[in-house]
């Protein structure tokens, strides 16, 4: 894996060491009022942005932390947090 | 064949004799030979037959750019003999021949080319449909490169390394070495990759002057010496770069030398900056029979003489389009090659000095002429030269035709790294236009030709790479740029693509036997983009990928489409850029597995150990794979089982309970002291992923188990599902820290009583109880009274270091009851009789908690909601059309269906998860996931077993558990 990932605890490491945890969608929604469709959307639907996305990674072969990084999906490179717009 | 033995450029050692076997004869090569040069030295000219037309093929590039010289070596097919050094005793076979390479019975295929136009597979053999399988067989038989025996064992040592560098330089020629030295001078760590077994690149074999009376080869050796003396350059020779990925990840394959401890190794390099200095190969000249043995490129002929001491032929004609051709002609003439004609495609622009020297040697020099036809069936006998307009012809006898249209930058590494290339009208080459960040190109790759310019561009690239790594080099950069500007820039390139011929036998791709005519056929059919033409004609899809057609194909397509701007691009290349052994990719094939702390005890008790997930576990304790004795001993007496592979965890802290509530379906606040709680985890789809037990050892302090397969993912799972909450809890994976013995059977208590330092009577330690006590006044035990196998049983968890001792104590105490070990298979049958599920056996990806009948493990009214899986469990509670787990017994107990057999009527209605003969029940029984209407008691199931030849098996749905349905035996 060409990607390198910066773990907040272990710093920049080879992407092999990590497991992808999906795009950041925010906390679990309240269970009241969820329909099968809205729940499935929350669990399975992704925006698949071509560009920068915030996503979760797990340092599986390392410290065991879950954390987020920003990655440009078009270059597959980790990038700095984008400026708020 | 006599070798030129006095040349200072040679890379051979004539004193070292190496023998090889080919065509039932023994031949001699010498030290430094490749397989190909050794064969050539022994007069072999035809190395193989081509893929489709079985045309004879021979040496052409000497760098493995096409499949011409791929042969079977010691049983390994498709070995590139031009890049593989000869080793003593090699057995060599020609490929794709019936008979010999010289006399191939399939040779007639060459005359059938009219029957095989471009894309003929797709167009001719699909109607009617039944033809295809028959045609496919014949096509497969007639075409193809090497064959490998299915039981072939690849010998050798294969390795992998993952070095890191500040700068990685690809290409060990003058530009690459200059770049490496420049970067190294800045104190950076440099890795230098060179595909040949020595540094030097295109200076290495040339006797022309570098400057001040120094020859190019001397300069190459001087640079190589400096590189080897520079401690912060790590040079890898005989190492072909094969892949480039973003973030400057470079992969390469290294061939081990005599003193290396590996045969090949995979190298994966992470570099902050990369310099690509791969130089050029030659652009093949397209004319009739342009791949006839005896036709070869300039550097092939030149290197045969200068590097290997082999005069490439006796009587030669040159048809070239580059000054390197003139230089080679002069040099080879000096070495004794008779050259009658040098035909230069270019009307003008040649180095006047070289032209004058040709005249002095009385070699006839034709400007604006080109070879159009090579004569001779199996090797070149004569060539027809023509003006490039095709107006005048001349036949010349020869046995060597040195043919080359011009230069092609080796841009493969750049393309892999997603650099942009653009056609350059001046050089007639595709040159790098936009490079990825922290990647630089240098040398001939940039269209440069002058030795000093090549080195200066290497210096410049080295400085730019150093700048990427934070070195302060502004002044040096400025100075080097100026120096490069003052040196000669790229020279005008020859643009002729095709000699004036029709092209029926002019091969644009040797590997796939693609002719100019095939490409025209594709274009006429409307494939108007190079990539499409490539797919339809297969040009460039062979092992040489890009080497032969890579440059000519887009140029030809552009010319045909009258696209004067040449918007075409070289077709995509893919890694590995050069063929590599799969064995090298596989590396050492480490079979890493875990052994439980009772491994040795089990093995010495006759355990047959098998790989199971990450573990090695005892599957049986006898040769009887039905495990009758093991099973009956547990049912009637007492057995012991190593359950150490269970996932074991401690979770504690103020928010530990919240975390448990989040991931477990049940209500974890209802765990009583001294009692075990059975619990399950689901994923967000409500599908069951794990089951296990939880005990509460203290305030906010829990100990729990997971199934063996989930142990590795459990901490990750807890942390993932609480990642937004910031809860305060700790988790520790104790799987390897604790060993577990499952002591099971009606006599289990009698055994435990003898060793436990506490009262373990049914009253003191009842079913689903949890106790902590010591054994032998020392070993701390966490004991869980469970009943997975359906008998009175105790799970004894002890620190791993005590496991072997405890195992011995229990075995000793059980001796008087004739305690026996039991293995995985016996456990599997025992638990099935009891109707207990194993996640992954009675469930799959889509199986919910409801489906396997474990709904009672879900607490729908749990407060502090947001339980993983709860939403889906609620939504699928009454969903129709799901599979349901059902027990069944076979009508004919003597035939038990195989696990995985399917349940059928007019369609597939489910499958058998597990089925075994039950010795205690004297029935064949099993568990199956079936469409829910079929799960009703009494339903007759029709079972289709693999290879049942239409004879279905029948079973009937019965209630579970099959064994001890009241559960009395667990509570004994
Ligand atoms: Zn980490």
């Amino acid at each position: 894996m060409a990607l390198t990932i910066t773990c907040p605890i272990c710093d920049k490491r080879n992407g092999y060491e990590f497991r992808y945890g999906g795009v950041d969608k925010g906390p679990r929604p309240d269970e009241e009022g969820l329909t099968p469709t809205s729940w499935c959307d929350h669990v399975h639907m992704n925006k698949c942005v071509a560009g920068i996305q915030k996503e979760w990674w797990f340092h599986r072969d390392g410290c065991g932390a879950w954390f987020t990084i920003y990655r440009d999906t078009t270059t597959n490179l980790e990038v700095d947090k984008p400026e708020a717009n | 064949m006599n070798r030129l033995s006095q040349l200072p450029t040679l890379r051979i050692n004539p004193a070292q004799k190496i023998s090889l076997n080919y065509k039932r004869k023994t031949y001699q090569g010498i030290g430094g030979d490749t397989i190909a040069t050794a064969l050539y030295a022994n007069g072999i000219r035809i190395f193989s037959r081509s893929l489709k037309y079985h045309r004879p093929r021979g040496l052409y590039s000497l760098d493995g750019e096409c499949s011409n010289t791929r042969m079977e070596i010691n049983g390994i097919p498709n070995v590139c003999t031009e890049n593989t050094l000869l080793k003593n005793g090699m057995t060599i076979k020609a490929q794709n021949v019936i008979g010999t390479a010289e006399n191939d019975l399939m040779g007639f295929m060459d005359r059938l080319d009219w029957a095989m136009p471009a894309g003929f597979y797709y167009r001719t053999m699909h109607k009617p449909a039944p033809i295809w399988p028959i045609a496919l067989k014949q096509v497969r038989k007639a075409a193809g490169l090497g064959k490998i025996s299915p039981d072939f064992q690849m010998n050798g040592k294969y390795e992998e390394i993952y070095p890191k560098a500040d700068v990685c330089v690809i290409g060990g020629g003058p530009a690459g070495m200059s770049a490496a030295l420049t970067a190294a001078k800045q104190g950076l760590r440099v890795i230098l990759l060179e595909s040949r077994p020595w540094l030097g690149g295109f200076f290495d074999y040339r006797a022309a002057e570098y400057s001040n009376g120094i020859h190019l080869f001397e300069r190459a050796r001087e640079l190589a010496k400096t590189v080897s003396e520079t401690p912060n350059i790590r040079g890898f020779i005989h190492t072909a770069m094969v892949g480039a990925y973003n973030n400057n990840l470079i992969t390469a394959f290294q061939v081990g030398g005599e003193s290396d401890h590996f045969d090949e190794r995979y190298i994966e390099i992470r570099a902050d900056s990369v310099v690509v200095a791969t130089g050029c190969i030659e652009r093949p000249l397209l004319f009739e029979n342009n791949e006839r043995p005896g036709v070869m490129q300039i550097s092939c002929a030149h290197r045969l003489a200068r590097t290997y001491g082999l005069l490439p032929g006796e009587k030669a004609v040159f048809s070239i389009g580059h000054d390197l051709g003139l230089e080679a002609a002069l040099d080879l003439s000096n070495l004794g090659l008779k050259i009658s004609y040098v035909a230069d495609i270019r009307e003008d622009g040649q180095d006047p000095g070289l032209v004058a020297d040709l005249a002095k040697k009385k070699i006839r020099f034709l400007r604006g002429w080109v070879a159009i036809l090579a004569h001779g069936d199996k090797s070149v006998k004569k060539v027809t030269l023509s003006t490039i307009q095709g107006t005048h012809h001349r036949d010349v006898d020869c046995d060597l035709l040195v043919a080359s249209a011009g230069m092609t930058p080796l841009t493969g590494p750049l393309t892999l790294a997603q650099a942009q290339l653009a056609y350059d009208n001046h050089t007639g080459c595709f040159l790098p236009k936009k490079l990825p960040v922290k990647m630089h190109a240098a040398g001939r790759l940039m269209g440069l030709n002058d030795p000093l310019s090549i080195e200066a561009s290497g210096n410049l690239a080295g400085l730019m790479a150093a700048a990427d790594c934070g070195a302060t080099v502004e002044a040096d950069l400025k100075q080097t740029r100026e120096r490069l500007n003052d040196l000669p820039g790229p020279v005008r390139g020859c643009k002729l693509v095709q000699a004036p011929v029709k092209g029926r036998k002019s091969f644009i791709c040797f590997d796939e036997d693609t002719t100019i005519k095939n490409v025209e056929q594709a274009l006429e059919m409307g494939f108007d983009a190079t990539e499409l033409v490539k797919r339809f004609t297969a040009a460039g899809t062979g092992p040489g990928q890009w080497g032969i057609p890579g440059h000519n194909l887009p140029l030809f397509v552009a010319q045909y489409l009258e696209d004067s701007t040449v918007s075409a691009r070289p077709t995509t290349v893919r890694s590995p850029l050069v063929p590599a052994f799969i064995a090298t990719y596989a590396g050492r094939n480490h079979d890493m597995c875990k052994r439980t702390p009772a491994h040795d005890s089990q093995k010495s008790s006759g355990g047959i150990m098998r790989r199971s997930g990450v573990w090695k576990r005892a599957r049986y304790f006898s040769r009887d794979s039905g495990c009758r004795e093991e099973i009956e001993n547990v049912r009637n007496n007492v057995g012991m089982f190593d359950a150490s592979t269970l996932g074991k965890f401690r979770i504690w802290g103020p928010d530990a309970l919240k975390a448990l509530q989040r991931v477990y379906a049940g209500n974890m606040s209802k765990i009583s002291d001294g009692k075990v709680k059975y619990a399950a985890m689901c994923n967000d789809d409500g599908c069951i992923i794990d089951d296990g037990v939880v005990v509460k050892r203290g305030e906010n302090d829990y100990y729990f188990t997971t199934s063996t397969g989930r142990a590795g993912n459990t901490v990750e799972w807890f942390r993932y599902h609480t990642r937004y909450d910031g809860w305060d809890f700790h988790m520790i994976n104790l799987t390897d820290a604790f060993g577990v013995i499952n002591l099971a059977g009606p006599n289990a208590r009698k055994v435990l009583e003898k060793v436990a330092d506490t009262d373990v009577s049914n009253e003191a330690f009842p079913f689903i109880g949890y106790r902590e006590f010591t054994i032998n006044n020392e070993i701390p035990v966490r004991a869980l009274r469970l009943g997975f196998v359906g008998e009175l049983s105790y799970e004894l968890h002890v620190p791993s270091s005590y496991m072997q001792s405890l195992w011995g104590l229990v075995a000793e105490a059980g001796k008087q009851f004739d305690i026996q070990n039991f293995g995985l298979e016996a456990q599997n049958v025992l638990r099935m009789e009891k109707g207990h599920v194993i996640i992954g056996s009675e469930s799959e990806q889509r199986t919910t908690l409801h489906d396997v009948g474990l709904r009672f493990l879900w607490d729908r009214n749990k407060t502090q909601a947001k339980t993983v899986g709860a939403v889906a469990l609620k939504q699928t509670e009454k969903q129709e059309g799901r599979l349901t787990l059902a027990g069944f017994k076979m009508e004919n107990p003597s035939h038990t269906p195989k696990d995985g057999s399917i349940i059928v009527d007019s369609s597939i209605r489910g499958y058998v998860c597990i089925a075994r003969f039950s010795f205690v029940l004297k029935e064949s029984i099993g568990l199956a996931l079936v469409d829910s209407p079929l799960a009703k008691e009494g339903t007759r199931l029709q079972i289709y077993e693999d290879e049942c030849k239409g004879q279905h098996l029948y079973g009937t749905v019965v209630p579970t558990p099959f064994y001890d349905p009241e559960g009395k035996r667990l509570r004994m």
Side-chain angles (χ1 to χ4, degrees):
Chain A
M1 193 192 278
L3 184 64
T4 53
I5 291 169
T6 308
C7 169
I9 295 166
C10 312
D11 207 33
K12 185 167 147 180
R13 304 288 302 172
N14 196 324
Y16 285 133
E17 296 177 4
F18 298 83
R19 191 203 294 282
Y20 181 55
V23 63
D24 180 46
K25 296 179 187 173
R28 302 173 74 79
D30 283 328
E31 293 174 9
E32 277 315 305
L34 283 170
T35 65
T37 310
S38 63
W39 177 245
C40 272
D41 284 356
H42 171 76
V43 175
H44 295 293
M45 296 303 279
N46 294 295
K47 290 208 175 73
C48 299
V49 296
I52 295 170
Q53 74 173 17
K54 185 183 182 188
E55 57 195 21
W56 286 93
W57 287 85
F58 176 67
H59 201 179
R60 181 182 50 193
D61 299 334
C63 63
W66 277 105
F67 55 91
T68 55
I69 63 163
Y70 293 88
R71 181 176 61 104
D72 186 338
T73 61
T74 62
T75 61
N76 200 25
L77 296 179
E78 189 181 351
V79 295
D80 291 335
K81 182 180 176 171
E83 298 289 321
N85 40 359
Chain B
M1 201 170 165
N2 286 331
R3 303 250 187 177
L4 306 161
S5 54
Q6 301 305 318
L7 303 179
T9 49
L10 291 177
R11 294 284 183 180
I12 48 170
N13 171 18
Q16 188 194 356
K17 304 282 182 236
I18 303 178
S19 67
L20 62 102
N21 308 304
Y22 180 56
K23 291 193 295 186
R24 298 204 188 86
K25 269 193 237 157
T26 304
Y27 294 93
Q28 293 294 326
I30 57 175
D33 260 334
T34 64
I35 298 166
T37 60
L39 289 173
Y40 203 83
N42 284 288
I44 309 296
R45 293 295 175 269
I46 303 176
F47 285 67
S48 70
R49 291 285 173 149
S50 69
L51 180 84
K52 225 160 63 172
Y53 302 139
H54 285 256
R55 289 169 65 90
R57 294 281 167 83
L59 285 191
Y60 186 77
S61 75
L62 216 56
D63 262 331
E65 281 152 32
C66 52
S67 61
N68 283 14
T69 49
R70 295 196 194 258
M71 302 177 91
E72 183 185 309
I73 310 297
N74 298 339
I76 305 170
N78 299 327
V79 173
C80 187
T81 58
E82 295 173 355
N83 308 10
T84 307
L85 291 173
L86 184 67
K87 283 184 189 154
N88 211 25
M90 276 179 164
T91 298
I92 297 157
K93 275 190 190 153
Q95 299 189 152
N96 206 27
V97 297
I98 298 180
T100 63
E102 285 80 6
N103 295 301
D104 173 21
L105 290 179
M106 296 292 284
F108 66 90
M109 293 292 284
D110 193 23
R111 289 193 292 276
L112 299 180
D113 63 322
W114 55 270
M116 295 179 258
F120 82 102
Y121 292 171
Y122 320 125
R123 292 198 287 145
T124 53
M125 292 183 186
H126 61 96
K127 266 184 199 168
I131 285 188
W132 177 241
I134 301 163
L136 182 74
K137 236 181 201 172
Q138 295 309 315
V139 169
R140 287 254 165 93
K141 222 185 272 175
L145 300 173
K147 289 194 177 73
I148 192 160
S149 156
D151 50 10
F152 179 76
Q153 286 282 328
M154 189 77 175
N155 291 318
K157 293 195 205 84
Y158 302 92
E159 289 231 328
E160 54 205 347
I161 54 170
Y162 298 81
K164 189 175 171 341
D166 296 318
V167 179
C168 176
V169 180
I170 302 162
M177 288 193 284
S178 302
L181 288 167
T182 309
K185 213 177 233 170
Q186 298 296 325
L188 299 169
R189 289 183 305 157
V190 180
I191 282 177
L192 177 63
L193 305 175
E194 166 55 43
S195 60
R196 290 191 186 140
W198 50 79
L199 297 172
F202 118 116
F203 280 10
D204 181 73
Y205 59 92
R206 290 171 64 202
E209 191 182 272
Y210 166 72
S211 80
N212 299 331
I214 303 173
H215 300 284
L216 287 171
F217 70 86
E218 288 164 334
R219 175 62 178 165
R221 281 155 176 74
E222 185 187 324
L223 283 171
K225 187 161 176 279
T226 319
V227 165
S228 70
E229 286 166 358
T230 306
N232 49 334
I233 300 179
R234 188 175 181 188
F236 292 96
I237 52 168
H238 217 171
T239 304
M241 178 272 190
V242 293
Y245 306 86
N246 49 24
N247 250 355
N248 281 338
L249 186 79
I250 304 294
T251 58
F253 284 95
Q254 181 181 22
V255 179
E258 291 270 304
S259 58
D260 285 315
H261 58 283
F262 55 86
D263 291 281
E264 269 203 20
R265 78 176 166 192
Y266 170 75
I267 306 180
E268 188 175 304
I269 302 153
R270 253 181 209 291
D272 285 342
S273 189
V274 171
V275 176
V276 182
T278 39
C280 286
I281 54 174
E282 285 168 57
R283 184 158 64 81
L285 182 62
L286 300 175
F287 58 98
E288 294 291 270
N289 299 335
N290 59 330
E291 30 66 274
R292 195 55 93 215
V295 179
M296 62 177 68
Q297 294 186 321
I298 301 165
S299 71
C300 179
H302 207 174
R303 289 172 56 213
L304 271 178
R306 278 281 170 186
T307 307
Y308 299 101
L310 294 164
L311 265 194
E314 293 191 349
K315 214 165 163 302
V317 170
F318 278 57
S319 174
I320 45 84
H322 195 281
D323 277 354
L324 280 176
L326 306 184
E327 181 192 318
L330 280 168
D331 194 33
L332 288 168
S333 164
N334 287 334
L335 296 176
L337 182 67
K338 289 194 203 79
I339 303 171
S340 51
Y341 282 91
V342 172
D344 194 326
I345 300 160
R346 299 168 297 175
E347 301 275 4
D348 53 31
Q350 296 90 351
D351 178 338
L354 292 171
V355 176
D357 286 347
L358 281 175
K360 261 184 244 163
K361 305 270 324 175
K362 300 205 165 49
I363 298 171
R364 275 165 289 187
F365 181 59
L366 303 172
R367 286 187 168 91
W369 280 63
V370 64
I372 57 166
L373 170 64
H375 303 262
D377 285 343
K378 288 178 184 168
S379 64
V380 174
K381 300 271 190 286
K382 190 166 73 178
V383 56
T384 303
L385 298 174
S386 162
T387 56
I388 53 174
Q389 295 79 17
T391 46
H392 296 84
H393 295 164
R394 187 174 298 181
D395 283 0
V396 187
D397 287 339
C398 64
D399 68 346
L400 171 69
L401 173 57
V402 176
S404 168
M407 292 294 134
T408 296
L410 259 174
T411 49
L414 295 176
T415 313
L416 287 181
Q418 298 175 338
Q420 283 174 25
L421 305 175
Y423 185 72
D424 174 60
N425 242 317
H426 180 63
T427 54
C429 295
F430 293 101
L431 297 182
K433 188 180 162 201
K434 190 168 176 248
L435 292 167
V437 284
K438 298 187 179 182
M439 179 171 270
H440 312 279
R444 289 209 290 162
L445 192 62
M446 308 292 281
L448 296 170
N449 205 47
D450 177 78
L452 295 173
S453 310
I454 288 170
E455 287 186 15
S457 84
N459 297 140
L460 183 62
L463 286 170
M464 292 194 287
D468 290 340
C469 303
T472 316
V473 290
E474 280 76 16
D476 290 338
L477 268 173
K478 185 163 172 283
Q479 193 201 348
T480 310
R481 273 205 188 95
E482 281 164 8
R483 183 156 56 90
L484 186 57
N485 280 337
D486 294 341
L487 288 165
V491 293
R492 181 157 59 92
C494 161
K495 293 186 191 167
L496 181 98
V497 175
Q498 180 194 4
V501 290
K502 289 223 169 67
R504 180 173 158 190
K505 301 283 183 184
S506 300
F507 287 84
I508 198 164
C509 174
F510 299 174
D511 292 2
E512 300 290 331
D513 269 349
T514 311
T515 61
I516 287 289
K517 198 179 157 203
N518 295 147
V519 175
E520 282 172 351
Q521 284 163 343
L523 285 158
E524 276 156 26
M525 292 175 79
F527 294 98
D528 60 352
T530 314
E531 289 284 357
L532 298 177
V533 174
K534 172 182 169 179
R535 296 306 184 283
F536 196 65
T537 64
T541 60
Q545 285 206 62
W546 190 90
I548 300 295
H551 198 172
N552 276 330
L553 185 66
L555 293 186
F556 185 87
V557 170
Q559 228 169 49
Y560 186 94
L561 299 172
E562 295 169 1
D563 170 11
S564 59
T565 60
V566 193
S567 57
R569 299 278 170 268
T571 54
T572 312
V573 292
R574 293 183 172 81
S575 69
L577 283 182
V578 298
F581 291 144
I582 290 172
T584 314
Y585 270 110
R588 288 289 280 271
N589 190 21
H590 304 284
D591 182 24
M592 288 189 285
C593 61
K594 299 210 283 186
R595 293 154 58 134
T596 74
H599 182 93
D600 292 343
S601 300
Q602 291 185 94
K603 217 171 160 194
S604 60
S605 311
I608 296 168
M609 312 306 279
R610 292 275 186 272
R611 187 71 188 260
S612 168
V614 298
W615 294 94
K616 247 199 172 127
R617 304 186 69 180
R619 182 143 199 99
Y620 316 101
F621 280 89
S622 76
R623 293 275 156 217
D624 168 24
S625 61
C627 303
R628 179 171 193 157
E629 246 183 76
E630 292 171 46
I631 291 166
E632 289 183 340
N633 188 56
V634 174
R635 288 277 177 252
N636 303 326
N637 182 23
V638 57
M640 58 196 284
F641 175 82
D642 179 12
S644 303
T645 64
L646 283 172
K648 298 172 284 289
F649 297 86
R650 180 186 176 197
I651 180 169
W652 77 102
D655 296 319
L657 180 59
K658 286 185 193 163
L660 290 169
Q661 291 284 47
R662 171 65 52 83
V663 298
Y664 277 111
N667 191 343
M668 307 313 287
S669 64
K670 293 182 180 166
I671 303 175
S672 322
D673 288 341
K675 260 189 161 180
V676 170
K677 183 172 174 67
Y678 180 42
M681 289 186 219
C682 295
N683 64 15
D684 275 322
D685 296 319
C687 297
I688 183 160
I689 57 165
D690 190 32
D691 67 342
V693 295
V694 188
V695 298
K696 190 174 174 184
R697 296 186 64 231
E699 198 52 33
N700 296 325
D701 194 353
Y702 300 84
Y703 178 69
F704 66 92
T705 65
T706 71
S707 54
T708 299
R710 278 298 291 183
N713 297 338
T714 297
V715 172
E716 175 185 338
W717 187 258
F718 270 71
R719 293 277 176 210
Y720 179 77
H721 286 288
T722 55
R723 69 197 186 281
Y724 289 104
D725 300 290
W727 288 341
D728 182 4
F729 67 91
H730 307 276
M731 271 189 95
I732 182 162
N733 185 342
L734 297 170
T735 303
D736 299 338
F738 277 79
V740 178
I741 295 174
N742 186 11
L743 183 63
N747 287 326
R749 185 177 297 117
K750 291 185 194 152
V751 177
L752 186 60
E753 268 168 359
K754 286 181 69 179
V755 292
D757 304 327
T758 188
D759 179 7
V760 293
S761 66
N762 205 16
E763 296 69 37
F765 188 5
F767 182 57
I768 63 163
Y770 174 74
R771 296 290 182 272
E772 294 184 7
F773 51 83
T774 58
I775 281 179
N776 241 19
N777 292 319
E778 173 166 348
I779 304 174
V781 179
R782 301 177 182 187
L784 290 70
R785 201 181 141 184
L786 299 168
F788 189 50
V789 298
E791 302 293 341
L792 164 68
S793 56
Y794 302 91
E795 256 183 30
L796 307 174
H797 297 219
V798 295
S800 291
S801 51
Y802 282 116
M803 183 66 176
Q804 205 87 336
S805 314
L806 181 67
W807 189 274
L809 284 170
V810 172
E812 184 58 36
K815 224 176 204 168
Q816 70 179 103
F817 310 101
D818 207 12
I819 192 169
Q820 303 286 330
N821 293 303
F822 64 104
L824 261 184
E825 173 58 24
Q827 177 188 251
N828 206 15
V829 179
L830 291 161
R831 65 91 193 172
M832 177 203 69
E833 289 173 338
K834 183 63 189 166
H836 284 157
V837 301
I838 291 183
I839 308 305
S841 170
E842 281 68 54
S843 71
E844 34 120 309
Q845 299 257 329
R846 303 166 296 174
T847 313
T848 66
L849 199 59
H850 306 313
D851 300 341
V852 285
L854 295 177
R855 181 170 304 183
F856 67 93
L857 293 181
W858 169 45
D859 186 331
R860 58 184 311 142
N861 302 315
K862 200 156 84 171
T863 53
Q864 292 176 345
K866 294 195 180 182
T867 302
V868 180
V871 177
L873 285 173
K874 214 169 274 176
Q875 289 172 353
T876 57
E877 208 177 355
K878 297 196 171 76
Q879 195 178 37
E880 284 175 19
R882 300 202 60 84
L883 295 177
T884 298
L885 190 69
F888 65 89
K889 83 175 181 205
M890 298 303 292
E891 289 178 7
N892 172 8
S894 68
H895 193 147
T896 315
K898 290 187 189 113
D899 297 353
S901 299
I902 51 179
I903 316 284
V904 294
D905 46 23
S906 56
S907 61
I908 296 173
R909 304 296 300 273
Y911 65 94
V912 173
C913 303
I914 179 174
R916 293 287 187 276
F917 182 77
S918 164
F919 298 107
V920 60
L921 302 171
K922 309 211 166 27
E923 298 268 17
S924 269
I925 53 171
L927 298 167
L929 275 166
V930 295
D931 278 347
S932 44
L934 298 190
K936 228 171 80 192
E937 199 183 325
T939 310
R940 192 169 191 233
L941 300 178
Q942 184 169 245
I943 300 168
Y944 175 96
E945 190 185 43
D946 249 6
E947 290 156 19
C948 68
K949 299 193 178 83
Q951 296 291 307
H952 290 126
L953 308 172
Y954 293 92
T956 311
V957 174
V958 294
T960 58
F962 306 99
Y963 175 73
D964 184 26
E966 291 97 51
K968 284 184 183 153
R969 299 183 66 87
L970 312 173
R971 296 176 172 81
M972 275 184 1

